[in-house]
Amino acid sequence: MKSIIILALALTFTTRSSLKAQTGVPDTLAYLQTIVQNKAQYIGQPFSKLMDSLHIQIKLFFPVAELPYDRFKETSTSFSFFFTATVDDLYLSYPMLEVIWQTPGDAAQSRLLRKQYRSMGWNTVIANHYSARVIADIYISD
């Protein structure tokens, strides 16, 4: 009888753990809003601190070069938490977390990584590319 109870408890715990791992956060927008509300703990810190604290996985990134006089400076990057297979599904990548960099990065390098790993999405190479960049601001892009 004890073994049946122990087995039932183990299955319950395993099922709850795997369900939690599969679902991530129940509401992506609400979760991203809490990050923006607490952005003071990330501003002035390397992006790796934010990456390590995320409870959902980054799936895609979109480098942004907003300086009209220098399109090779990546001033910010949008991070999506849904992988879109086609351009027609791009609307599903919202909401996105936009990170403004303290010092603009090399937009050409970021675009090259995006093109090179387009079919794979976010990976270790891309994470390493962004990890040392310092965050100036964070907001949700709409």
Side-chain angles (χ1 to χ4, degrees), residues 20-21 23-25 31 34-35 42 50-58 81:
K20 183 179 177 184
T23 58
V25 297
Y31 177 68
T34 63
I35 290 173
Y42 303 111
L50 175 61
M51 274 193 307
D52 293 343
S53 69
L54 288 174
H55 294 285
I56 53 178
Q57 184 179 4
I58 297 170
F81 303 92

Side-chain angles (χ1 to χ4, degrees), residues 22-88:
Q22 291 172 1
T23 58
V25 297
D27 185 344
T28 304
L29 178 59
Y31 177 68
L32 295 180
Q33 287 170 335
T34 63
I35 290 173
V36 172
Q37 289 169 355
N38 298 312
K39 66 183 176 180
Q41 64 184 324
Y42 303 111
I43 292 175
Q45 301 294 321
F47 183 67
S48 60
K49 181 176 180 180
L50 175 61
M51 274 193 307
D52 293 343
S53 69
L54 288 174
H55 294 285
I56 53 178
Q57 184 179 4
I58 297 170
K59 301 290 184 176
L60 292 173
F61 72 103
F62 302 92
V64 180
E66 292 183 334
L67 299 174
Y69 56 88
D70 194 347
R71 304 306 284 176
F72 294 101
K73 301 281 187 192
E74 182 179 1
T75 54
S76 65
T77 308
S78 294
F79 297 96
S80 175
F81 303 92
F82 181 81
F83 186 82
T84 58
T86 67
V87 174
D88 294 334

Side-chain angles (χ1 to χ4, degrees), residues 60-122:
L60 292 173
F61 72 103
F62 302 92
V64 180
E66 292 183 334
L67 299 174
Y69 56 88
D70 194 347
R71 304 306 284 176
F72 294 101
K73 301 281 187 192
E74 182 179 1
T75 54
S76 65
T77 308
S78 294
F79 297 96
S80 175
F81 303 92
F82 181 81
F83 186 82
T84 58
T86 67
V87 174
D88 294 334
D89 292 337
L90 194 58
Y91 71 96
L92 295 171
S93 64
Y94 292 90
M96 287 190 235
L97 195 64
E98 180 120 5
V99 175
I100 299 172
W101 305 115
Q102 208 169 60
T103 304
D106 182 355
Q109 179 64 32
S110 297
R111 288 182 194 122
L112 181 65
L113 287 171
R114 178 152 165 70
K115 183 178 178 181
Q116 184 177 2
Y117 296 108
R118 180 173 294 158
S119 64
M120 296 170 54
W122 189 259

